[in-house]
Amino acid sequence: MKPLKNIIFDFGGVLVDWNPRYLYDKYFGDEERSEWFLNNICLYSWNLQMDGGKPFAEGVSELQAQHPEWKEAIAIYHTRWVEMMGGEVEGTADLLRRLKAAGYKIYGLTNWSAETFPMIRDTYPVFGEFDGIVVSGEEHLLKPDAAIYRCLLDRYALTPAESIFIDDNEANVAAALDLGLEAHRFLGATELERSLREDYGLEF
């Protein structure tokens, strides 16, 4: 195994906490109704369309046409989107900064709408630490499609064998491994730090 030089982070669930329930639990005032709505109307698969580059106005309009009785609730998925954000995932930003201080290059590869990521980018100082970021909505590509990983690798001239990708989604981790990167499924910052030191030999 070549020495690792590049650490590639997913964002949602690894660095920052994003959950539509933060918005809809407040909106409905009822956790069960919120859960039903997100499992039956504003599905995660629908959200992925915007992460893949579809304009929110188009996605919202299409879904409202299918479910007119939920028009207002669907609309706030965009207009109140920032209320879906929580804080930083505990410990990951600190770990990232220590890795960068030790000389590793830090990159981001995220499934995120090109419209909504700019809304919160400056809210979390950790996003200013990256040497490069690829956002799915800007590229019209989605993990785990190999093309978005190649986009990152090519844009920043990264060697797969010298890079490790960290994501909380098992399919995204598997796709990175298939392309020759090291990859680690994120379970928490403490476990990640242990693995980076003990399994991958990083020094920081």
Side-chain angles (χ1 to χ4, degrees):
M1 182 175 72
K2 285 189 176 184
L4 294 175
K5 299 179 179 179
N6 313 303
I7 321 295
I8 305 164
F9 286 87
D10 173 43
F11 291 169
V14 175
L15 276 169
V16 294
D17 182 15
W18 172 83
N19 192 329
R21 285 164 183 78
Y22 294 147
L23 167 61
Y24 284 101
D25 285 357
K26 288 187 296 184
Y27 176 74
F28 289 118
D30 181 330
E31 291 184 6
E32 287 187 11
R33 196 173 187 202
S34 170
E35 185 80 9
W36 184 92
F37 178 80
L38 292 168
N39 286 328
N40 292 275
I41 308 298
C42 285
L43 302 172
Y44 182 67
S45 57
W46 173 75
N47 176 79
L48 276 177
Q49 294 179 39
M50 274 62 75
D51 284 355
K54 176 178 278 191
F56 257 98
E58 184 179 332
V60 166
S61 179
E62 289 174 355
L63 197 62
Q64 288 174 327
Q66 295 172 31
H67 304 284
E69 69 277 21
W70 294 102
K71 185 175 182 179
E72 180 183 273
I74 293 168
I76 67 166
Y77 201 101
H78 186 212
T79 60
R80 293 175 58 181
W81 180 89
V82 292
E83 295 177 54
M84 299 180 189
M85 295 300 301
E88 291 184 348
V89 173
E90 184 177 358
T92 315
D94 174 68
L95 174 58
L96 181 154
R97 290 186 176 98
R98 286 188 283 124
L99 287 164
K100 185 166 185 176
Y104 296 99
K105 294 291 186 179
I106 305 296
Y107 298 93
L109 181 61
T110 182
N111 281 353
W112 209 305
S113 162
E115 294 176 72
T116 55
F117 183 58
M119 294 180 184
I120 57 88
R121 182 169 185 161
D122 293 340
T123 305
Y124 299 89
V126 68
F127 290 132
E129 302 285 349
F130 284 83
D131 295 292
I133 293 173
V134 168
V135 177
S136 64
E138 295 176 359
E139 310 301 333
H140 293 252
L141 297 168
L142 283 168
K143 294 179 292 183
D145 185 341
I148 193 168
Y149 297 83
R150 292 194 186 101
C151 177
L152 176 80
L153 295 170
D154 293 347
R155 183 167 298 165
Y156 299 108
L158 307 183
T159 301
E162 296 176 343
S163 307
I164 183 168
F165 174 64
I166 299 153
D167 198 303
D168 60 329
N169 181 294
E170 190 170 355
N172 296 343
V173 169
L177 288 169
D178 286 344
L179 286 166
L181 292 92
E182 296 293 339
H184 181 85
R185 187 174 184 188
F186 182 80
L187 300 173
T190 300
E191 191 277 336
L192 173 61
E193 178 167 354
R194 181 208 61 76
S195 184
L196 291 175
R197 292 182 186 277
E198 296 179 9
D199 300 333
Y200 299 100
L202 272 64
E203 298 179 357
F204 57 97

